[in-house]
Each structure stands twice: as structure tokens, then as C-alpha cells.
Amino acid sequence: MDTSTPVDLRFRTVLARLQATGRIRRVDRKLSVDDEVAAVLKHHDDGDALVCTAVTGHSVPVLGNLLASEANCEAAFGTDRHGIRELVARAMSDSIAPEIVPTGPARDHVFTSTLDLGSRMPVLRHAPGDAGRFVTAGVVIARHPVTGVHNASYHRLQLVGDDRVAIKLDLGRHLRAAFESAQSLGRPLPIAVALGTDISLLYTAATMGSQMPESRDELAAAGALQGSPLRMLTGLTQDVLVPADAEFVLEGAISATETVPEGPFGEFVGYQSDAGPAPVVQVTALSHRRNPVYHAINGAGRETVMLRKYVLETSVLTVLRDTAPMVVDVNMTAGGLHRFHLNLAVHKDGPQHDGFEVNAALAAFGALKDLVRVVVVDDDIDIHDERDVEYAIATRCDPARDLVVVPRGRGHEYLRLSDRGIVSKWLVNATVPYADRERFRRVPFAPSTVSTADLLPCDLFDAGPDT
């Protein structure tokens, strides 16, 4: 894939790519928005994307697990993981300002009164312990009231009325900073929420402070990712920009004064979050495409964490290749929720490289705040195969010498083992000294001339007595 040219990453184009590659399946069984749709998505969240077509009380189908696996992501982008990382790197370094267009499919149907959000959209209750029905895949777009910089980010929205939602604003997030700035000025913050939007925007919204500083305009970053301007509409009822090709768009404003109880909700770490006060969004408009699709992301499902995998890998590779050019590749692992565990492969050209693998691991902790564990291996180990990584640990790592613990670093506050986000980090050095690499070389086999197609059913044996 030539990542110097524009890539069509509109939502419907992506769905067509997945369909053409057999990465999307249909579920026609009758399912309720209360727990049942989310349960199906969770129990199949390491495979194909799923469209639930028969949601009780709704004519709109629910799409889930869209980007929940590496195979789905590669089909969606039409390239491999290296190509995806190159596109993400464009978003982190370049900008292409959005194009304001007069109309688009997101305005096929418009409602500015009698919004009735819970009836017009099949918003899910994701787990039995959740406080209610939550919009989870919406990209929230806002402009900072002082700087004018656009932010795009994910924030869960709990339905609390026909035209009201509660919005979860975690500490340290850019949208929270914009909201607090508007609050200090005594006015609400206008926002738009796009569901089923360009995946260039889905990925840009998944970046965090270390990858996308508050001064970067994330609509322009999304344009850089796809290599062309993001098509946007001006808001109907709010001073916001709205993706022209989205499936659903909500417009509204975050109240500067009103809060309501929000949560609990099943979070990406697999635990139920605590309930607490959250600001209210007064929704002033709802629009959608003709025959729209509702995109849902399970809070504790794999799509939640997969959205950040390539973003975090791109970010850490950028840092490490400047710090330690011996780094060959990285993998944010599934078991570490694509956020907390990193496998790191290095290539040593001589004894002068011994020890740099530890430097590289420490630099990775500096690059990614939430990282808890790094395993460093030589480049003859496949870091995308956990069995191979475990082999390296089993045969090349002496814990007394090669296990390093860094006490009390800053991590993610959602980790329950942490002390309000303070948690120890650890690295496992499963590389061998350069001088010993021949002694640790694995047994080579000759190339095989027998392919899988040559493997036939066996009919040579029976259970009868020997004759």
C-alpha cells in the first residue's frame, strides 16, 4: 500500500471492504438492547464484525466488533499492520484541514424536537450491572472555547432522558479541559457526537495526550491520516463541525452547572466502574443517514482496546527508533489489553549493543504512561506469537539477573492493583549476549516441499486385530 496517497476510510467504504473479504457476519436472531446484543458481541469479539439485524423494538441494525481484531483492522484499512502504523504516523506528524461541505448523508433525516433518543437509536445496556443504556462508539467533537482547537475523543454517554445524556469526563482528558474552560466562562460547551464515522476519525479519537498534544487539531490530524480533508458540515443547532458521512450525529451542549448520577459501567479493564456525578448534555438535534447502522463498542470488549493498539505501537516505535535504533518491532499484546504489556524485538550487531535492550525498555515506559510490563527478545523470536515469547523467557531469562522492577511509577488509575494510578513497572530481558548468540541458535530445518493441500485424510489403520 502506498501511504503517500489518499485512502478512502469512510464508514460505508470500510463496511464494503470487510464484506468483500468475508470479515463481517449477520445475526438475524431476535435480540434485546438490554444485555443480549452486547452478550453476543462479547462472546464473539475476537472474530468477524457482526451485524445484529433483529433488535427488539428497533428497525436499525446494530454493528459491533468492527475493529475488534487485527484481521478486521487490516481488512478495514486495506493494508497490513505496518501500513496502518504508517497512516497513524501521518496523523501524528501532519495536518490537513477539514473541508466544509454544504450537505451530506448524515443529514438525510433531521430531528430538532421530539428527539426520543432511546427509541430512535438501539442504544445498548452492555452488562447486567450497568446503570442503564450507554452510547459507547460516539466520537465527541468539540472546539476549545479559548484556543479554538478541535478535539475528537471517546466518552461514554448514559441516556438519562429523551433528549439528555450524562457524559463521563475523566481527569486529564482534553475534552475535560475544554469543558472546564467553558465552565470558568460560565457557559455550556457545544459538542457533536458522531456514530459510524470515518475510521480516520475513529483512530484519531483514540490517541491520547502523549501522542496528540492539546494544541493539535484532531480533525486536521484525521485528514492527514487518510491523506485528504475530512468532509464536515456546520452544526444545525450548535457551533460545531459535524462529519458529513456519519451514520448518526447528535448535537448538544455540556451544561456548565448540572450533573446527574452516572454509572456504574463495565470498563475496558474488565471491572465495573463506580457510580458518580457527571455533567449533563442537553441534546438539541439528532440526524442520521437513510437506512442507518448503529455502531456499538462493548466497554469490556476487545474493540475498545484494539482501537488504541496501532496508535500506541506507532507512538512507542517513533520514540524507540530515535533512542535505540536496534529496535526491530513492537507488539502491544492482547493479554495486556493492548495497553499494559509490550513485547519488544531487538537486533544486536555487536557486543556494543549489549545492555541497550534495557535502555529501550526503560524508554518505552517513558513513552507510554500506562505501560506496566515490557518483554525484550532477540529478533529470531516472533513477538506476535505469545508461545514464542514464552519460549524466550523459558530458555533465555534468568529472573535473578534479567528481571528488573521499577517501583511506584505512574500508570492508569483504572488498574485496581494500583494506588490511585501509582504502580510498579517490570521488564523481562529475554535476550542473549551478542557473544552467545550462536550457542542459543535454534535448530534449523530444511525447507518443506509439502504444502497443506498435500495433507490427505488418513485411511491406513483400523481397530481390528493384527493380521
Side-chain angles (χ1 to χ4, degrees), residues 197-401:
T197 188
D198 313 62
I199 64 168
S200 55
L201 189 57
L202 294 183
Y203 264 70
T204 305
T207 59
M208 294 173 286
S210 59
Q211 301 97 38
M212 194 71 63
E214 195 173 356
S215 58
R216 286 289 313 282
D217 190 300
E218 287 173 330
L219 299 183
L225 191 152
Q226 66 184 28
S228 62
L230 202 62
R231 284 166 32 90
M232 304 294 287
L233 305 166
T234 55
L236 290 170
T237 60
Q238 299 289 338
D239 185 18
V240 290
L241 293 181
V242 170
D245 298 293
E247 299 291 313
F248 284 93
V249 173
L250 307 179
E251 294 180 18
I254 308 177
S255 170
T257 57
E258 185 182 4
T259 63
V260 294
E262 190 272 351
F265 176 76
E267 279 287 0
F268 77 96
V269 288
Y271 305 125
Q272 208 86 29
S273 69
D274 295 330
V280 170
V281 179
Q282 180 65 51
V283 181
T284 52
L286 165 66
S287 65
H288 61 76
R289 295 178 67 118
R290 188 176 297 108
N291 300 319
V293 175
Y294 178 83
H295 183 202
I297 297 177
N298 264 347
R302 193 162 179 226
E303 186 169 8
T304 302
V305 293
M306 266 302 297
L307 276 166
R308 288 195 165 92
K309 173 180 169 63
Y310 298 110
V311 170
L312 296 177
E313 288 176 352
T314 303
S315 179
V316 75
L317 270 174
T318 301
V319 171
L320 293 183
R321 283 178 172 157
D322 287 339
T323 306
M326 65 192 292
V327 171
V328 174
D329 198 7
V330 297
N331 177 30
M332 302 293 297
T333 69
L337 302 178
H338 301 302
R339 189 159 183 163
F340 302 119
H341 289 178
L342 176 74
N343 292 341
L344 175 60
V346 299
H347 175 77
K348 297 180 181 179
D349 280 330
Q352 73 276 10
H353 280 157
D354 287 336
F356 268 107
E357 68 275 8
V358 175
N359 291 26
L362 294 174
F365 287 130
L368 301 180
K369 169 186 73 70
D370 295 341
L371 200 57
V372 172
R373 189 202 74 180
V374 176
V375 177
V376 193
V377 297
D378 295 296
D379 61 348
D380 65 324
I381 300 295
D382 182 358
I383 59 172
H384 302 278
D385 182 344
E386 284 302 309
R387 292 172 300 180
D388 217 27
V389 174
E390 189 173 345
Y391 164 83
I393 295 172
T395 63
R396 302 179 181 186
C397 174
D398 178 353
R401 180 193 64 205

Side-chain angles (χ1 to χ4, degrees), residues 137-179:
V139 175
V140 181
I141 300 167
R143 186 167 55 214
H144 194 285
V146 175
T147 67
V149 174
H150 287 100
N151 174 253
S153 51
Y154 293 98
H155 299 268
R156 68 181 188 240
L157 307 171
Q158 182 180 343
L159 298 187
V160 294
D162 287 347
D163 57 0
R164 288 154 51 86
V165 297
I167 185 167
K168 174 69 170 174
L169 298 178
D170 287 332
L171 290 170
R173 301 290 300 277
H174 293 168
L175 182 62
R176 177 160 181 155
F179 165 68

